[in-house]
Amino acid sequence: MTPSPAAVVASLGGIATRGAILEAGVRGADVSRAVRAGELARIRRAHYAGPEASAAAVTAVRVGGRLGCVSAAASYGI
């Protein structure tokens, strides 16, 4: 059985590349279907976020960056 794209993204921390999702056994058509259904958001070319992704992380990936240590710590509740 093919894993759910949203479940795969959640298991990868809430944000994942298309390549990582496909490597987990999800079909490309299922990723597109999950985006159309609102289960995932395409935040950048080949980058997807689930509803559990922090706003800071989504913003960082959208502009091609990553969270710095202070922002990452805050997103983990530290």
Side-chain angles (χ1 to χ4, degrees), residues 2-3 5 18 21-22 25-33:
T2 304
R18 183 175 182 86
I21 298 168
L22 297 178
V26 176
R27 297 179 317 156
D30 292 336
V31 174
S32 298
R33 194 172 298 116

Side-chain angles (χ1 to χ4, degrees), residues 33-54:
R33 194 172 298 116
V35 170
R36 284 193 305 272
E39 297 169 7
L40 294 177
R42 182 179 175 272
I43 56 175
R44 182 181 170 96
R45 183 176 182 213
H47 290 74
Y48 299 87
E52 66 282 337
S54 73

Side-chain angles (χ1 to χ4, degrees), residues 3-16 20-26 40 52:
S4 156
V8 169
V9 171
S11 74
L12 295 171
I15 296 178
I21 298 168
L22 297 178
E23 284 178 20
V26 176
L40 294 177
E52 66 282 337

